Amino acid sequence: MTWRELFPGTTEAEWRDWRWQQRHALTTAADFERLFPLTDAERRGFALAAGHTRVAATPYYASLVDRDHPACPIRLQVMPSAAEAVPAPGDLDDPIGEEPHRPVRAIVHKYPDRALFLAVDRCAVYCRHCTRRRITFSDDEGGFDRAAVEEGIAWVRAHREVRDVIVSGGDPLSLSDQKLDGILAGLRAIPHVQVLRVATRAPVTNPMRVTDALAAALRRHAPLFVVTHFNHPKECTPEAREACERLVDHGVPVENQSVLLRGLNSSARILTDLNERLLTFRVRPYYLHQGDLAAGTGHLRTPLAAGVAILEAMRGRTSGLAIPHLAVDLPGGGGKVTLQPQYLAGEGEEGARGHWLRNGRGERYFYPEPPEQDCTCPYEAVYYPADAAARGGPAGGDGEGE
Ligand SMILES: *Cc1c(COP(=O)(O)O)cnc(C)c1O
Ligand code: SF4
């Protein structure tokens, strides 16, 4: 069914208005029941979710639901499931250990050169797999008011080692242009901040949000990357394409981070199709996230080997541009690591010392070690004289970094 049939009485102008989409979000079982019949399991999920988690889907995102199939990937991302109440081994309220790394309310600081800036606790759509559900699903956080934002910006200003700030939340594009622009301008004015990133699901869940005015505003804060979150080819609609292309056309590069979700996109065919389509939107696949141990998401997690097997199936069969990094954010706060299929098959001797490697077809190839092993770059000390000075080497430079 088209959106006109699903939402009778809605004008084209309303449908294309991102605020209308946010205001008319479906939040209750009754709201969804008007679009399609719920299964008993979905009804139980709603009953269990009430009072514990937030539920919302923009009419646009809800219109992508397959009315006939409860296993529809859109449905699985927005409909609360009774399985969310079933604990899984290792479940954590703070799955990737962010709380000990929050020097101020709006900042998560785990890596010396990067900071995560929590700008808002709200989203247009609440994803059932959200890793930050302790913030997005609850009212305890109390939002991020002007004081929290100011404090976050002041913190970044005081930390000269931070050169990359990821504005996230919640979904920062659920804020008004003016509010978002204020935050970005505040960060952009800090001389040591090289790169800004804006992490948002809006191109997927509310593509109408990406207006020309917004894209132009983001471009003014370049270098700025938008990092979005497509999980399934079903989300690659003409509207989503338009949103991504509008950003890129304005000069804002777009990257994608998917979450690997069991029974939803845990298939090489689905993820290859998704990432190939994203490239046609000029969106570059960046991460494929192994499910975090967020309590209530155990039913959506895959075995670690599943993601590796998917990467293995993709390598050699699609372009490297379409293959994301498989990232595991270590439980408890150890940070991200990436997993790869193991292509090194052992050391050997074939005329010279070297390594056996295998390809995806299981064929073995020999790579001999080069004649010389020393990888020092002599010009490095010339090009970075301050480093040499710091090490007590030959003087040069003024110590001002770049
Ligand atoms: C993921 C993450 C980043 C960004 O990591 P990249 O690998 O640079 O994309 C930065 N800070 C925190 C706290 C994160 O969780
Ligand atoms: S849009 Fe992002 S922050 Fe919001 S619920 Fe989904 S995953 Fe969580």
Side-chain angles (χ1 to χ4, degrees):
M1 282 170 93
T2 65
W3 66 263
R4 286 172 210 283
E5 294 164 301
L6 288 169
F7 298 94
T10 305
T11 66
E12 176 92 28
E14 285 171 332
W15 187 256
R16 291 182 157 275
D17 174 359
W18 69 272
R19 289 181 180 282
W20 184 92
Q21 291 284 344
Q22 268 186 206
R23 268 200 314 272
H24 290 78
L26 291 74
T27 60
T28 65
D31 289 343
F32 285 95
E33 195 101 63
R34 273 194 283 278
L35 301 192
F36 54 89
L38 304 195
T39 63
D40 288 341
E42 285 170 336
R43 254 185 238 110
R44 261 202 324 281
F46 267 103
L48 282 164
H52 296 290
T53 70
R54 287 186 185 146
V55 176
T58 53
Y60 161 80
Y61 198 64
S63 77
L64 306 181
V65 161
D66 186 328
R67 306 168 74 246
D68 303 320
H69 295 282
C72 161
I74 308 297
R75 229 158 136 160
L76 292 176
Q77 289 184 74
V78 294
M79 308 294 279
S81 157
E84 290 177 35
V86 181
D91 271 357
L92 294 165
D93 285 331
D94 178 17
I96 54 175
E98 293 186 324
E99 293 306 322
H101 299 278
R102 279 175 82 177
V104 295
R105 232 154 65 72
I107 297 287
V108 179
H109 186 225
K110 278 195 191 172
Y111 310 100
D113 66 324
R114 280 154 285 167
L116 197 67
F117 194 108
L118 305 177
V120 60
D121 63 341
R122 299 303 170 112
C123 307
V125 165
Y126 292 106
C127 315
R128 302 327 297 172
H129 55 274
C130 183
T131 192
R132 226 163 267 133
R133 56 206 279 132
R134 71 184 188 287
I135 294 174
T136 54
F137 280 15
S138 108
D139 293 319
D140 304 344
E141 193 67 34
F144 294 88
D145 56 14
R146 202 188 183 89
V149 164
E150 289 301 326
E151 185 186 34
I153 293 172
W155 184 91
V156 175
R157 198 181 302 116
H159 288 77
R160 291 197 49 186
E161 68 277 20
V162 173
R163 43 151 216 97
D164 179 347
V165 181
I166 301 151
V167 178
S168 181
D171 194 328
L173 264 55
S174 62
L175 297 170
S176 68
D177 284 8
Q178 196 194 359
K179 245 195 188 139
L180 179 64
D181 194 56
I183 295 171
L184 294 173
L187 292 167
R188 188 32 89 215
I190 300 170
H192 57 266
V193 174
Q194 296 174 343
V195 170
L196 293 172
R197 300 189 233 178
V198 174
T200 173
R201 264 209 111 176
V204 185
T205 56
N206 192 5
M208 297 71 178
R209 177 67 188 91
V210 184
T211 59
D212 279 326
L214 175 77
L218 295 176
R219 174 63 182 85
R220 278 197 294 278
H221 303 301
L224 179 152
F225 293 74
V226 162
V227 184
T228 190
H229 174 178
F230 286 84
N231 286 328
H232 193 281
K234 216 169 143 53
E235 297 167 335
C236 296
T237 64
E239 291 89 342
R241 169 190 281 267
E242 200 181 312
C244 295
E245 295 214 295
R246 179 163 291 137
L247 290 166
V248 178
D249 285 346
H250 277 83
V252 179
V254 185
E255 313 269 321
N256 187 63
Q257 306 193 140
S258 296
V259 179
L260 184 54
L261 296 165
R262 196 177 65 86
L264 193 160
N265 64 6
S266 49
S267 133
R269 181 182 189 174
I270 292 172
L271 286 174
T272 303
D273 182 22
L274 171 66
N275 289 305
E276 288 174 351
R277 288 204 213 192
L278 289 177
L279 285 180
T280 71
F281 292 11
R282 287 176 283 160
V283 173
R284 170 74 158 97
Y286 178 39
Y287 278 138
L288 173 62
H289 289 286
Q290 173 68 26
D292 295 328
L293 301 182
T297 64
H299 59 297
L300 295 169
R301 279 175 228 145
T302 55
L304 272 190
V308 177
I310 287 170
L311 289 197
E312 169 128 36
M314 292 177 85
R315 179 67 59 188
R317 287 171 184 80
T318 187
S319 57
L321 277 176
I323 305 179
H325 303 285
L326 175 59
V328 187
D329 215 323
L330 300 174
K336 289 185 193 68
V337 296
T338 53
L339 296 180
Q340 272 284 329
Q342 179 57 270
Y343 295 112
L344 280 171
E347 291 183 30
E349 185 102 32
E350 286 286 293
R353 235 168 36 77
H355 299 274
W356 285 99
L357 295 95
R358 62 164 187 92
N359 65 11
R361 290 188 294 275
E363 299 155 346
R364 285 162 60 92
Y365 293 85
F366 188 74
Y367 183 88
E369 291 286 27
E372 301 294 339
Q373 306 283 310
D374 178 8
C375 294
T376 315
C377 303
Y379 195 68
E380 194 169 326
V382 180
Y383 198 68
Y384 303 105
D387 288 3
R391 284 196 312 267
D398 54 12
E400 263 303 310
E402 64 266 91

PDB file of all heavy atoms in Angstrom, residues 121-133 136-137 168-171 199-202 205 229 259, ligand 2:
ATOM      1  N   ASP A 121      18.582  13.333  23.663  1.00  0.00           N
ATOM      2  CA  ASP A 121      18.250  11.945  24.027  1.00  0.00           C
ATOM      3  C   ASP A 121      17.066  11.421  23.219  1.00  0.00           C
ATOM      4  O   ASP A 121      16.541  10.358  23.521  1.00  0.00           O
ATOM      5  CB  ASP A 121      17.958  11.848  25.533  1.00  0.00           C
ATOM      6  CG  ASP A 121      16.741  12.666  25.941  1.00  0.00           C
ATOM      7  OD1 ASP A 121      16.343  13.570  25.161  1.00  0.00           O
ATOM      8  OD2 ASP A 121      16.184  12.421  27.022  1.00  0.00           O
ATOM      9  N   ARG A 122      16.623  12.173  22.209  1.00  0.00           N
ATOM     10  CA  ARG A 122      15.417  11.798  21.445  1.00  0.00           C
ATOM     11  C   ARG A 122      15.760  11.369  20.024  1.00  0.00           C
ATOM     12  O   ARG A 122      16.784  11.790  19.483  1.00  0.00           O
ATOM     13  CB  ARG A 122      14.444  12.985  21.361  1.00  0.00           C
ATOM     14  CG  ARG A 122      13.946  13.466  22.705  1.00  0.00           C
ATOM     15  CD  ARG A 122      13.276  12.344  23.450  1.00  0.00           C
ATOM     16  NE  ARG A 122      12.986  12.704  24.826  1.00  0.00           N
ATOM     17  CZ  ARG A 122      11.750  12.880  25.309  1.00  0.00           C
ATOM     18  NH1 ARG A 122      10.714  12.779  24.517  1.00  0.00           N
ATOM     19  NH2 ARG A 122      11.565  13.176  26.580  1.00  0.00           N
ATOM     20  N   CYS A 123      14.857  10.570  19.428  1.00  0.00           N
ATOM     21  CA  CYS A 123      14.994  10.119  18.043  1.00  0.00           C
ATOM     22  C   CYS A 123      13.612  10.127  17.398  1.00  0.00           C
ATOM     23  O   CYS A 123      12.601  10.027  18.097  1.00  0.00           O
ATOM     24  CB  CYS A 123      15.547   8.700  17.993  1.00  0.00           C
ATOM     25  SG  CYS A 123      17.077   8.513  18.930  1.00  0.00           S
ATOM     26  N   ALA A 124      13.600  10.188  16.060  1.00  0.00           N
ATOM     27  CA  ALA A 124      12.336  10.146  15.341  1.00  0.00           C
ATOM     28  C   ALA A 124      11.770   8.726  15.351  1.00  0.00           C
ATOM     29  O   ALA A 124      10.558   8.513  15.335  1.00  0.00           O
ATOM     30  CB  ALA A 124      12.529  10.627  13.899  1.00  0.00           C
ATOM     31  N   VAL A 125      12.679   7.758  15.357  1.00  0.00           N
ATOM     32  CA  VAL A 125      12.309   6.341  15.435  1.00  0.00           C
ATOM     33  C   VAL A 125      13.170   5.739  16.528  1.00  0.00           C
ATOM     34  O   VAL A 125      14.368   6.021  16.592  1.00  0.00           O
ATOM     35  CB  VAL A 125      12.577   5.633  14.081  1.00  0.00           C
ATOM     36  CG1 VAL A 125      12.543   4.119  14.235  1.00  0.00           C
ATOM     37  CG2 VAL A 125      11.562   6.083  13.025  1.00  0.00           C
ATOM     38  N   TYR A 126      12.571   4.949  17.402  1.00  0.00           N
ATOM     39  CA  TYR A 126      13.368   4.245  18.412  1.00  0.00           C
ATOM     40  C   TYR A 126      13.630   2.827  17.942  1.00  0.00           C
ATOM     41  O   TYR A 126      12.697   2.045  17.750  1.00  0.00           O
ATOM     42  CB  TYR A 126      12.676   4.278  19.788  1.00  0.00           C
ATOM     43  CG  TYR A 126      12.667   5.684  20.331  1.00  0.00           C
ATOM     44  CD1 TYR A 126      11.516   6.445  20.348  1.00  0.00           C
ATOM     45  CD2 TYR A 126      13.865   6.276  20.749  1.00  0.00           C
ATOM     46  CE1 TYR A 126      11.530   7.758  20.797  1.00  0.00           C
ATOM     47  CE2 TYR A 126      13.893   7.588  21.193  1.00  0.00           C
ATOM     48  CZ  TYR A 126      12.733   8.328  21.210  1.00  0.00           C
ATOM     49  OH  TYR A 126      12.761   9.628  21.641  1.00  0.00           O
ATOM     50  N   CYS A 127      14.918   2.539  17.726  1.00  0.00           N
ATOM     51  CA  CYS A 127      15.317   1.241  17.188  1.00  0.00           C
ATOM     52  C   CYS A 127      15.363   0.241  18.331  1.00  0.00           C
ATOM     53  O   CYS A 127      15.938   0.532  19.381  1.00  0.00           O
ATOM     54  CB  CYS A 127      16.690   1.342  16.537  1.00  0.00           C
ATOM     55  SG  CYS A 127      16.833   2.796  15.489  1.00  0.00           S
ATOM     56  N   ARG A 128      14.817  -0.924  18.108  1.00  0.00           N
ATOM     57  CA  ARG A 128      14.771  -1.929  19.182  1.00  0.00           C
ATOM     58  C   ARG A 128      16.171  -2.370  19.574  1.00  0.00           C
ATOM     59  O   ARG A 128      16.377  -2.891  20.665  1.00  0.00           O
ATOM     60  CB  ARG A 128      13.921  -3.136  18.770  1.00  0.00           C
ATOM     61  CG  ARG A 128      12.479  -2.842  18.378  1.00  0.00           C
ATOM     62  CD  ARG A 128      11.829  -1.705  19.118  1.00  0.00           C
ATOM     63  NE  ARG A 128      11.706  -1.912  20.563  1.00  0.00           N
ATOM     64  CZ  ARG A 128      11.318  -0.989  21.418  1.00  0.00           C
ATOM     65  NH1 ARG A 128      11.013   0.222  21.004  1.00  0.00           N
ATOM     66  NH2 ARG A 128      11.246  -1.255  22.709  1.00  0.00           N
ATOM     67  N   HIS A 129      17.148  -2.183  18.678  1.00  0.00           N
ATOM     68  CA  HIS A 129      18.503  -2.658  18.953  1.00  0.00           C
ATOM     69  C   HIS A 129      19.384  -1.544  19.520  1.00  0.00           C
ATOM     70  O   HIS A 129      20.587  -1.739  19.668  1.00  0.00           O
ATOM     71  CB  HIS A 129      19.133  -3.195  17.670  1.00  0.00           C
ATOM     72  CG  HIS A 129      19.118  -2.193  16.550  1.00  0.00           C
ATOM     73  ND1 HIS A 129      18.038  -2.051  15.706  1.00  0.00           N
ATOM     74  CD2 HIS A 129      20.027  -1.275  16.161  1.00  0.00           C
ATOM     75  CE1 HIS A 129      18.294  -1.098  14.840  1.00  0.00           C
ATOM     76  NE2 HIS A 129      19.499  -0.591  15.091  1.00  0.00           N
ATOM     77  N   CYS A 130      18.816  -0.392  19.848  1.00  0.00           N
ATOM     78  CA  CYS A 130      19.631   0.764  20.239  1.00  0.00           C
ATOM     79  C   CYS A 130      20.603   0.414  21.368  1.00  0.00           C
ATOM     80  O   CYS A 130      20.204  -0.081  22.416  1.00  0.00           O
ATOM     81  CB  CYS A 130      18.744   1.914  20.689  1.00  0.00           C
ATOM     82  SG  CYS A 130      19.716   3.394  21.092  1.00  0.00           S
ATOM     83  N   THR A 131      21.876   0.707  21.152  1.00  0.00           N
ATOM     84  CA  THR A 131      22.881   0.416  22.168  1.00  0.00           C
ATOM     85  C   THR A 131      22.841   1.452  23.292  1.00  0.00           C
ATOM     86  O   THR A 131      23.233   1.178  24.407  1.00  0.00           O
ATOM     87  CB  THR A 131      24.289   0.347  21.535  1.00  0.00           C
ATOM     88  OG1 THR A 131      25.173  -0.206  22.501  1.00  0.00           O
ATOM     89  CG2 THR A 131      24.795   1.711  21.109  1.00  0.00           C
ATOM     90  N   ARG A 132      22.353   2.642  22.976  1.00  0.00           N
ATOM     91  CA  ARG A 132      22.307   3.697  23.995  1.00  0.00           C
ATOM     92  C   ARG A 132      20.899   3.814  24.581  1.00  0.00           C
ATOM     93  O   ARG A 132      20.456   4.886  24.965  1.00  0.00           O
ATOM     94  CB  ARG A 132      22.797   5.013  23.379  1.00  0.00           C
ATOM     95  CG  ARG A 132      23.788   5.724  24.319  1.00  0.00           C
ATOM     96  CD  ARG A 132      24.596   6.787  23.624  1.00  0.00           C
ATOM     97  NE  ARG A 132      25.847   6.274  23.133  1.00  0.00           N
ATOM     98  CZ  ARG A 132      26.319   6.496  21.909  1.00  0.00           C
ATOM     99  NH1 ARG A 132      25.630   7.208  21.041  1.00  0.00           N
ATOM    100  NH2 ARG A 132      27.473   5.979  21.560  1.00  0.00           N
ATOM    101  N   ARG A 133      20.206   2.679  24.658  1.00  0.00           N
ATOM    102  CA  ARG A 133      18.819   2.688  25.117  1.00  0.00           C
ATOM    103  C   ARG A 133      18.689   3.164  26.559  1.00  0.00           C
ATOM    104  O   ARG A 133      17.633   3.636  26.957  1.00  0.00           O
ATOM    105  CB  ARG A 133      18.170   1.316  24.914  1.00  0.00           C
ATOM    106  CG  ARG A 133      18.926   0.197  25.581  1.00  0.00           C
ATOM    107  CD  ARG A 133      18.674  -1.142  24.887  1.00  0.00           C
ATOM    108  NE  ARG A 133      17.419  -1.770  25.279  1.00  0.00           N
ATOM    109  CZ  ARG A 133      16.551  -2.252  24.398  1.00  0.00           C
ATOM    110  NH1 ARG A 133      16.802  -2.173  23.110  1.00  0.00           N
ATOM    111  NH2 ARG A 133      15.448  -2.836  24.787  1.00  0.00           N
ATOM    112  N   THR A 136      18.214   6.705  25.425  1.00  0.00           N
ATOM    113  CA  THR A 136      17.133   7.020  24.482  1.00  0.00           C
ATOM    114  C   THR A 136      15.781   6.462  24.924  1.00  0.00           C
ATOM    115  O   THR A 136      14.747   6.983  24.524  1.00  0.00           O
ATOM    116  CB  THR A 136      17.446   6.479  23.079  1.00  0.00           C
ATOM    117  OG1 THR A 136      17.735   5.074  23.166  1.00  0.00           O
ATOM    118  CG2 THR A 136      18.627   7.183  22.465  1.00  0.00           C
ATOM    119  N   PHE A 137      15.787   5.375  25.706  1.00  0.00           N
ATOM    120  CA  PHE A 137      14.516   4.730  26.064  1.00  0.00           C
ATOM    121  C   PHE A 137      13.985   5.207  27.412  1.00  0.00           C
ATOM    122  O   PHE A 137      12.937   4.763  27.842  1.00  0.00           O
ATOM    123  CB  PHE A 137      14.680   3.202  26.134  1.00  0.00           C
ATOM    124  CG  PHE A 137      14.666   2.511  24.794  1.00  0.00           C
ATOM    125  CD1 PHE A 137      14.820   3.207  23.611  1.00  0.00           C
ATOM    126  CD2 PHE A 137      14.493   1.134  24.723  1.00  0.00           C
ATOM    127  CE1 PHE A 137      14.820   2.567  22.388  1.00  0.00           C
ATOM    128  CE2 PHE A 137      14.488   0.474  23.507  1.00  0.00           C
ATOM    129  CZ  PHE A 137      14.650   1.187  22.328  1.00  0.00           C
ATOM    130  N   SER A 168      26.279  13.088  18.462  1.00  0.00           N
ATOM    131  CA  SER A 168      25.393  11.934  18.433  1.00  0.00           C
ATOM    132  C   SER A 168      24.305  12.125  19.473  1.00  0.00           C
ATOM    133  O   SER A 168      23.924  13.246  19.802  1.00  0.00           O
ATOM    134  CB  SER A 168      26.246  10.684  18.693  1.00  0.00           C
ATOM    135  OG  SER A 168      25.466   9.510  18.656  1.00  0.00           O
ATOM    136  N   GLY A 169      23.789  11.056  20.015  1.00  0.00           N
ATOM    137  CA  GLY A 169      22.734  11.155  21.028  1.00  0.00           C
ATOM    138  C   GLY A 169      22.234   9.769  21.373  1.00  0.00           C
ATOM    139  O   GLY A 169      23.028   8.868  21.570  1.00  0.00           O
ATOM    140  N   GLY A 170      20.948   9.540  21.215  1.00  0.00           N
ATOM    141  CA  GLY A 170      19.876  10.160  20.461  1.00  0.00           C
ATOM    142  C   GLY A 170      20.286  10.559  19.045  1.00  0.00           C
ATOM    143  O   GLY A 170      21.364  10.291  18.582  1.00  0.00           O
ATOM    144  N   ASP A 171      19.304  11.157  18.370  1.00  0.00           N
ATOM    145  CA  ASP A 171      19.534  11.566  16.989  1.00  0.00           C
ATOM    146  C   ASP A 171      19.606  13.087  16.903  1.00  0.00           C
ATOM    147  O   ASP A 171      18.590  13.774  17.068  1.00  0.00           O
ATOM    148  CB  ASP A 171      18.413  11.043  16.085  1.00  0.00           C
ATOM    149  CG  ASP A 171      18.798  11.152  14.617  1.00  0.00           C
ATOM    150  OD1 ASP A 171      19.542  12.096  14.268  1.00  0.00           O
ATOM    151  OD2 ASP A 171      18.368  10.309  13.815  1.00  0.00           O
ATOM    152  N   ALA A 199      26.204  11.895  13.661  1.00  0.00           N
ATOM    153  CA  ALA A 199      25.675  10.531  13.581  1.00  0.00           C
ATOM    154  C   ALA A 199      24.160  10.582  13.654  1.00  0.00           C
ATOM    155  O   ALA A 199      23.600  11.026  14.663  1.00  0.00           O
ATOM    156  CB  ALA A 199      26.239   9.686  14.718  1.00  0.00           C
ATOM    157  N   THR A 200      23.506  10.169  12.571  1.00  0.00           N
ATOM    158  CA  THR A 200      22.048  10.327  12.513  1.00  0.00           C
ATOM    159  C   THR A 200      21.387   9.230  11.692  1.00  0.00           C
ATOM    160  O   THR A 200      21.935   8.793  10.683  1.00  0.00           O
ATOM    161  CB  THR A 200      21.672  11.688  11.897  1.00  0.00           C
ATOM    162  OG1 THR A 200      20.239  11.727  11.720  1.00  0.00           O
ATOM    163  CG2 THR A 200      22.330  11.920  10.546  1.00  0.00           C
ATOM    164  N   ARG A 201      20.198   8.828  12.114  1.00  0.00           N
ATOM    165  CA  ARG A 201      19.412   7.879  11.309  1.00  0.00           C
ATOM    166  C   ARG A 201      18.397   8.608  10.440  1.00  0.00           C
ATOM    167  O   ARG A 201      17.597   7.958   9.759  1.00  0.00           O
ATOM    168  CB  ARG A 201      18.669   6.891  12.217  1.00  0.00           C
ATOM    169  CG  ARG A 201      19.394   5.606  12.414  1.00  0.00           C
ATOM    170  CD  ARG A 201      18.461   4.419  12.666  1.00  0.00           C
ATOM    171  NE  ARG A 201      18.478   3.508  11.526  1.00  0.00           N
ATOM    172  CZ  ARG A 201      17.835   2.361  11.467  1.00  0.00           C
ATOM    173  NH1 ARG A 201      17.103   1.954  12.466  1.00  0.00           N
ATOM    174  NH2 ARG A 201      17.921   1.599  10.380  1.00  0.00           N
ATOM    175  N   ALA A 202      18.404   9.929  10.449  1.00  0.00           N
ATOM    176  CA  ALA A 202      17.357  10.654   9.720  1.00  0.00           C
ATOM    177  C   ALA A 202      17.252  10.264   8.243  1.00  0.00           C
ATOM    178  O   ALA A 202      16.140  10.102   7.740  1.00  0.00           O
ATOM    179  CB  ALA A 202      17.542  12.158   9.871  1.00  0.00           C
ATOM    180  N   THR A 205      15.143   7.109   8.593  1.00  0.00           N
ATOM    181  CA  THR A 205      13.883   7.073   9.339  1.00  0.00           C
ATOM    182  C   THR A 205      12.997   8.294   9.108  1.00  0.00           C
ATOM    183  O   THR A 205      11.799   8.235   9.333  1.00  0.00           O
ATOM    184  CB  THR A 205      14.174   6.961  10.849  1.00  0.00           C
ATOM    185  OG1 THR A 205      15.019   8.058  11.231  1.00  0.00           O
ATOM    186  CG2 THR A 205      14.861   5.654  11.184  1.00  0.00           C
ATOM    187  N   HIS A 229      22.793   5.283   9.285  1.00  0.00           N
ATOM    188  CA  HIS A 229      22.592   3.958   9.879  1.00  0.00           C
ATOM    189  C   HIS A 229      21.486   3.217   9.116  1.00  0.00           C
ATOM    190  O   HIS A 229      20.337   3.183   9.539  1.00  0.00           O
ATOM    191  CB  HIS A 229      22.261   4.200  11.369  1.00  0.00           C
ATOM    192  CG  HIS A 229      21.875   3.003  12.176  1.00  0.00           C
ATOM    193  ND1 HIS A 229      21.600   3.085  13.516  1.00  0.00           N
ATOM    194  CD2 HIS A 229      21.717   1.701  11.870  1.00  0.00           C
ATOM    195  CE1 HIS A 229      21.288   1.892  13.986  1.00  0.00           C
ATOM    196  NE2 HIS A 229      21.346   1.043  13.007  1.00  0.00           N
ATOM    197  N   VAL A 259      24.138  -2.133  11.964  1.00  0.00           N
ATOM    198  CA  VAL A 259      24.247  -3.045  13.097  1.00  0.00           C
ATOM    199  C   VAL A 259      23.865  -4.427  12.577  1.00  0.00           C
ATOM    200  O   VAL A 259      22.852  -4.579  11.878  1.00  0.00           O
ATOM    201  CB  VAL A 259      23.331  -2.619  14.255  1.00  0.00           C
ATOM    202  CG1 VAL A 259      23.441  -3.602  15.418  1.00  0.00           C
ATOM    203  CG2 VAL A 259      23.675  -1.211  14.712  1.00  0.00           C
TER     204      VAL A 259
HETATM  205  S1  SF4 B   2      18.298   6.351  15.924  1.00  0.00           S
HETATM  206 FE1  SF4 B   2      20.241   5.697  16.873  1.00  0.00          FE
HETATM  207  S2  SF4 B   2      20.157   6.580  18.946  1.00  0.00           S
HETATM  208 FE2  SF4 B   2      18.061   6.606  18.131  1.00  0.00          FE
HETATM  209  S3  SF4 B   2      17.111   4.701  18.836  1.00  0.00           S
HETATM  210 FE3  SF4 B   2      17.978   4.310  16.792  1.00  0.00          FE
HETATM  211  S4  SF4 B   2      20.030   3.482  17.205  1.00  0.00           S
HETATM  212 FE4  SF4 B   2      19.323   4.499  19.102  1.00  0.00          FE
END
